[in-house]
């Protein structure tokens, strides 16, 4: 089954404790992206990757890191989480090209930073 | 001005009603347009792409007006299962696969 998986689905942590949210897709997609969703603000892009070893900042990259060492994986790293990073996070993937294709989203990770 | 703007709603309609959502976008060079559906904080899923000539998928019709830079979604004969948030999505021209999401319009269909 074609899918995007994220782990963990729920996480409560404390300020400053480094964490990683994993994202994996089995569709051989070149493009992967991370979003956060907050009430009243919609989905905002954090980072995206057009292919292996190619990453770029989205609209709200501060406080986040990513890496793309393999095509299927695109982990999101919070080196020193803060309460304003409490949010619902989605990973997505799509086939790449000059025209954006349908994006497939993971189930989401609900993060609370206290 | 936001890059993609939608009426947040909520739209409360009875079953069987016809409802229309509008969305405006700021980048006149955008080429790709989509409507996504999101159920209660679950992951967004593609509802339909929007083509220049307009397109229809069952009870759903999408229209694009490039001159006025808006997109619309019409839902006919609303069902209870149509209750969700509808996201207008536009590509960020010349930035690869980057998409810009509107805030979403909430629809609640009542019996």
């Amino acid at each position: 089954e074609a899918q995007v998986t994220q782990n963990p689905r729920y996480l409560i942590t404390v300020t400053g404790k480094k964490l990683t949210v994993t994202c994996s897709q089995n569709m051989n997609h070149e493009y992967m992206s991370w979003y956060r969703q907050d009430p009243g603000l919609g989905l905002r892009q954090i980072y995206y990757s057009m292919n292996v070893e190619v990453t770029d900042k989205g609209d709200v990259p501060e406080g986040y890191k990513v890496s793309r060492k393999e095509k299927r994986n695109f982990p999101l790293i919070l080196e020193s989480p803060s309460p304003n990073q409490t949010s619902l996070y989605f990973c997505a993937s799509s086939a790449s090209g000059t025209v954006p294709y349908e994006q497939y989203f993971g189930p989401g990770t609900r993060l609370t930073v206290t | 001005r936001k890059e993609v703007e939608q009426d947040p709603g909520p739209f409360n309609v009875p079953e069987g009603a016809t409802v229309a959502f509008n969305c405006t976008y700021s980048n006149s060079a955008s080429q790709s347009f989509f409507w996504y559906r999101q159920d209660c904080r679950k992951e967004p899923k593609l509802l339909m792409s929007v083509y220049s000539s307009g397109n229809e998928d069952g009870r759903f019709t999408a229209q694009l007006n490039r001159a006025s830079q808006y997109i619309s979604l019409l839902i006919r004969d609303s069902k209870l299962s149509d209750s969700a948030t509808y996201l207008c999505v536009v590509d960020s021209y010349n930035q690869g696969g980057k998409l810009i999401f509107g805030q979403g319009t909430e629809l609640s269909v009542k019996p």
Side-chain angles (χ1 to χ4, degrees), chain B residues 18 37 72 78 80-81 96 101 105 109:
Chain B
T18 295
R37 170 188 169 134
S72 64
S78 299
L80 296 177
S81 57
F101 285 75
T105 298
V109 182

Side-chain angles (χ1 to χ4, degrees), chain B residues 32-107:
Chain B
S32 301
F33 310 91
F34 310 90
W35 283 101
Y36 276 70
R37 170 188 169 134
Q38 185 175 26
D39 293 288
C40 200
R41 305 295 269 176
K42 292 189 175 180
E43 71 271 27
K45 293 183 179 178
L46 180 68
L47 178 66
M48 58 197 302
S49 301
V50 185
Y51 304 119
S52 297
S53 55
N55 48 302
E56 189 173 307
D57 183 2
R59 297 181 293 109
F60 299 85
T61 300
Q63 296 280 352
L64 168 64
N65 184 320
R66 286 190 183 271
S68 302
Q69 292 179 215
Y70 83 78
I71 308 150
S72 64
L73 176 68
L74 183 76
I75 305 176
R76 291 181 298 278
D77 189 23
S78 299
K79 311 290 184 191
L80 296 177
S81 57
D82 293 334
S83 296
T85 296
Y86 292 83
L87 305 171
C88 173
V89 185
V90 177
D91 77 294
S92 182
Y93 180 70
N94 212 28
Q95 292 189 51
K98 182 175 179 178
L99 297 177
I100 309 295
F101 285 75
Q103 289 180 275
T105 298
E106 185 182 345
L107 172 66

Side-chain angles (χ1 to χ4, degrees), chain A residues 4-99:
Chain A
V4 179
T5 57
Q6 292 179 229
N7 281 292
R9 295 287 314 280
Y10 303 91
L11 180 60
I12 301 173
T13 190
V14 296
T15 299
K17 185 176 181 181
K18 181 180 179 180
L19 68 91
T20 299
V21 184
T22 64
C23 173
S24 183
Q25 50 94 5
N26 62 1
M27 294 169 278
N28 201 38
H29 283 163
E30 292 86 5
Y31 183 91
M32 296 186 75
S33 181
W34 276 103
Y35 298 88
R36 62 177 288 173
Q37 187 172 34
D38 304 287
L41 296 176
L43 277 157
R44 294 180 293 166
Q45 191 175 49
I46 303 170
Y47 269 94
Y48 64 99
S49 169
M50 299 293 285
N51 215 323
V52 175
E53 301 292 0
V54 180
T55 63
D56 213 341
K57 295 178 180 178
D59 300 312
V60 288
E62 296 78 20
Y64 304 95
K65 286 175 58 177
V66 293
S67 67
R68 188 89 182 274
K69 294 184 171 59
E70 305 166 282
K71 199 171 189 179
R72 62 183 294 125
N73 295 324
F74 190 44
L76 179 69
I77 302 156
L78 284 72
E79 295 270 3
S80 182
S82 62
N84 65 12
Q85 292 179 298
T86 292
S87 188
L88 177 59
Y89 291 86
F90 289 105
C91 179
S93 75
S94 72
S96 193
T98 54
V99 177

